[in-house]
């Protein structure tokens, strides 16, 4: 089992914790990790872009000049793609970019992403994180203590004091154990997880 240090919000080491190899020590499947990232980004796309083809633009009902004898190349319509104001050759049309991954693939991808963070020493475990109120300065101080700038903070409970304290900090995002995803885990430089959150993740995905 992989062993990681546990820190408090002051950045001091308070102990060690063994991680479950079934979640944090799996064989990394890069193919599924890539597919999970592409899947998430594709599912976010609106797919509402649209342009008109030559059959949809207005005008161009008659030939601009006769077929022969003018010296010009023959033209059938002023709405052909080579004309200003003409239609687009392969015009984009509204479509859905989303595709599905099955549950097993998603789980393997997530565990692979978590394993890579542990292997690269980019997973920080906190004993707990609690604030008396909504204090952005307090959250900034915690990050400074941990020497972290760009981080994903994973919580076990939806603690609004912590969530709202982190909301206005650039490059910091909070997530619950049931909302973590491969893209966010890989996007941020560090993943900060509370001990309770680690236990929940191991219980769900082991």
């Amino acid at each position: 089992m992989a062993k990681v240090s546990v820190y408090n919000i002051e950045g001091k080491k308070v102990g060690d914790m063994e991680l479950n190899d079934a979640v944090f020590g799996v064989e990394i499947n890069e193919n599924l990790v890539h597919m999970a990232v592409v899947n998430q980004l594709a599912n976010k796309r609106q797919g509402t872009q649209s342009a008109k083809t030559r059959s949809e633009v207005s005008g161009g009902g008659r030939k601009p000049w006769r077929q022969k004898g003018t010296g010009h190349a023959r033209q059938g319509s002023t709405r052909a793609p080579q004309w200003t104001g003409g239609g687009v050759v392969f015009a984009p049309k509204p479509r859905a970019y989303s595709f599905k991954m099955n549950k097993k693939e998603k789980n393997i991808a997530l565990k692979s992403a978590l394993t890579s963070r542990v292997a690269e020493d980019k997973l920080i475990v906190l004993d707990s994180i609690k604030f008396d109120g909504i204090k952005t300065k307090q959250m900034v101080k915690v990050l400074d203590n941990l020497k972290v700038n760009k981080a994903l903070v994973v919580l076990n409970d939806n603690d609004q004091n912590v969530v709202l304290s982190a909301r206005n900090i650039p490059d910091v995002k909070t997530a619950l154990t049931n909302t973590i995803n491969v893209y966010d885990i890989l996007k941020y430089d560090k993943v900060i997880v509370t001990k309770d959150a680690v236990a929940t993740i191991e219980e769900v995905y082991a």
Side-chain angles (χ1 to χ4, degrees):
M1 286 189 174
K3 184 179 283 189
V4 293
S5 300
V6 179
Y7 298 90
N8 59 19
I9 59 175
E10 293 173 357
K12 295 177 181 176
K13 183 178 175 180
V14 292
D16 294 308
M17 183 179 189
E18 288 191 343
L19 300 175
N20 190 337
D21 283 345
V23 179
F24 295 96
V26 301
E27 184 179 346
I28 297 174
N29 189 321
E30 291 183 4
N31 182 46
L32 287 182
V33 170
H34 176 262
M35 191 188 296
V37 172
V38 173
N39 173 255
Q40 188 174 342
L41 294 177
N43 291 349
K44 281 183 176 181
R45 293 184 71 173
Q46 286 185 311
T48 55
Q49 75 278 39
S50 183
K52 291 182 178 181
T53 63
R54 62 182 295 169
S55 66
E56 294 169 322
V57 290
S58 61
R62 58 173 289 191
K63 285 171 72 68
W65 49 74
R66 66 180 190 270
Q67 182 83 344
K68 293 176 179 292
T70 64
H72 293 298
R74 57 194 174 190
Q75 299 292 330
S77 168
T78 55
R79 294 300 157 221
Q82 72 269 23
W83 285 74
T84 300
V88 179
V89 181
F90 297 112
K93 292 296 175 187
R95 54 166 285 199
Y97 289 91
S98 61
F99 64 92
K100 289 184 178 179
M101 285 181 69
N102 66 45
K103 195 173 181 180
K104 275 188 178 179
E105 288 176 330
K106 285 182 179 178
N107 285 350
I108 292 170
L110 185 68
K111 289 191 278 190
S112 294
L114 290 169
T115 298
S116 72
R117 297 285 91 176
V118 174
E120 295 167 6
D121 198 23
K122 292 184 177 179
L123 185 92
I124 299 172
V125 180
L126 285 182
D127 57 350
S128 67
I129 180 167
K130 295 283 183 185
F131 296 150
D132 296 332
I134 302 168
K135 296 286 185 183
T136 302
K137 283 184 179 179
Q138 208 167 350
M139 189 68 190
V140 169
K141 190 175 180 182
V142 171
L143 295 171
D144 287 343
N145 291 340
L146 297 170
K147 297 176 183 175
V148 173
N149 292 320
K150 190 176 180 182
L152 175 69
V153 182
V154 183
L155 307 171
N156 195 43
D157 302 312
N158 190 14
D159 188 331
Q160 286 299 295
N161 285 345
V162 177
V163 172
L164 295 177
S165 295
R167 187 169 63 177
N168 285 337
I169 305 173
D171 297 327
V172 174
K173 180 178 179 179
T174 56
L176 298 178
T177 51
N178 61 347
T179 63
I180 55 173
N181 57 75
V182 175
Y183 178 70
D184 283 342
I185 290 170
L186 298 178
K187 177 183 176 182
Y188 293 90
D189 293 340
K190 299 281 186 179
V191 178
I192 300 171
V193 196
T194 62
K195 281 180 72 175
D196 292 342
V198 171
T200 302
I201 291 169
E202 288 179 343
E203 186 180 337
V204 172
Y205 295 101

